[in-house]
Amino acid sequence: MATADAPPALDVKQQREASPDEEDNFFNSDLFLNTEYMEQTFPFGTREVKLLVSESACTDFDLTGQVIWPAAQLLAAYLADNPHWAHGREAAVELGAGAGLVGCVAAQQCRVVLTDGSDTVVKLLRRNAALNSHGHDVSCAFLDWESQSDIAAVRAASPGGAGFDLVLGADVCYGQNALPALFMCAAALLRRTPGAAMLLGYVSRAAIIDRSLPVESRKAGLHIEEISGTRSSVGGGLHGVVYHLRWPDPEDGCCEPGTSSAAQPGR
């Protein structure tokens, strides 16, 4: 959840005088916060994206968005090669945007709102949005997938408050417990119009998450299918894929959760 900026740190003497019996006050969480970034260029054909990124992630799990993960590179490259997914859209939103690679590629074609659940990462997103201001308008917002007020605020930033016609996410399926909130949030932000779509960059790391994708997406009311030709090696013996999620139509049938024909990424 969002937290207020910490007050100026006291020196050791001041800390002892303020609370002599509380040893925990000597612990400064900022010691583990890495906000030193390097600029990195990601070329995509005749275009490029410049981002400030960390060479290694912070030890805080919530700050892994400071680095570029394999699924983000996979989805960004796919979007760059297939700009029709974003071209002509009224607006797109990226969930768990991290450093913002995918969203900045999409911003070459349409307006984009970049979101993340970490205040520190949102600050990084704003800096990266400024580095790539040559495209369409890019804005940034804090978004906790389980917060209805956060979701409402982000949806209000969509055209007419009716939702986004493109939702993006890459390497956001980091745990089975995160999937229900992810897909419910995506469904809440996705405009209910024909052609509205979510693109999900996914790297298979655990069979249980592979199996849960079609189940949890269907629970959120979304149809999921693998995009042909996107399955590829992302290094380290891992494979990635890009999924297309959308509102179902009558031709999708009425199969029960878990019986989707979508290919399993770990297969």
Side-chain angles (χ1 to χ4, degrees):
M1 298 295 294
T3 56
D5 290 339
L10 301 175
D11 62 29
V12 173
K13 181 180 178 180
Q14 288 175 312
Q15 289 187 37
R16 286 175 177 167
E17 291 175 348
S19 50
D21 298 324
E22 297 182 13
E23 294 297 329
D24 287 345
N25 286 346
F26 288 97
F27 177 77
N28 183 358
S29 61
D30 287 347
L31 292 174
F32 300 92
L33 182 61
N34 178 15
T35 55
E36 294 185 2
Y37 305 115
M38 58 178 289
E39 185 175 304
Q40 189 170 347
T41 300
F42 298 85
F44 298 100
T46 59
R47 299 189 178 189
E48 63 181 24
V49 170
K50 292 183 178 180
L51 299 176
L52 295 173
V53 299
S54 174
E55 292 187 88
S56 60
C58 171
T59 54
D60 187 332
F61 178 77
D62 291 333
L63 298 178
T64 54
Q66 295 170 305
V67 299
I68 303 298
W69 293 91
Q73 297 187 62
L74 176 65
L75 181 54
Y78 177 75
L79 270 178
D81 290 339
N82 300 272
H84 66 275
W85 281 104
H87 184 71
R89 300 279 187 180
E90 287 195 66
V93 62
E94 184 179 4
L95 308 182
L101 178 62
V102 174
C104 286
V105 170
Q108 296 173 351
Q109 304 294 333
C110 67
R111 182 168 77 86
V112 175
V113 178
L114 304 174
T115 70
D116 201 273
S118 160
D119 284 324
T120 298
V121 175
V122 171
K123 291 177 183 177
L124 174 61
L125 277 173
R126 291 194 177 103
R127 295 175 67 182
N128 283 336
L131 281 177
N132 297 276
S133 59
H134 54 276
H136 293 260
D137 178 65
V138 180
S139 57
C140 306
F142 180 91
L143 175 60
D144 179 336
W145 299 340
E146 296 184 286
S147 169
Q148 293 303 311
S149 60
D150 284 357
I151 293 172
V154 172
R155 184 181 173 93
S158 67
F164 298 86
D165 48 3
L166 181 63
V167 176
L168 303 166
D171 252 327
V172 288
C173 302
Y174 47 80
Q176 185 182 15
N177 292 338
L179 296 183
L182 166 65
F183 289 124
M184 288 297 183
C185 177
L189 294 175
L190 185 64
R191 183 182 299 181
R192 284 187 173 271
T193 55
M198 176 180 183
L199 294 182
L200 177 67
Y202 177 75
V203 170
S204 176
R205 297 185 178 91
I208 190 170
I209 299 180
D210 297 345
R211 294 191 297 268
S212 296
L213 284 180
V215 176
E216 297 300 337
S217 59
R218 187 173 293 274
K219 285 180 181 178
L222 299 170
H223 176 82
I224 184 171
E225 56 194 1
E226 178 179 333
I227 297 180
S228 178
T230 61
R231 185 181 295 271
S232 62
S233 171
V234 295
L238 300 175
H239 288 79
V241 67
V242 177
Y243 281 114
H244 172 208
L245 293 92
R246 56 177 172 79
W247 297 117
D249 58 47
E251 295 181 359
D252 296 325
C254 55
C255 52
E256 293 299 317
T259 62
S260 167
S261 61
Q264 296 297 311
R267 190 174 64 186

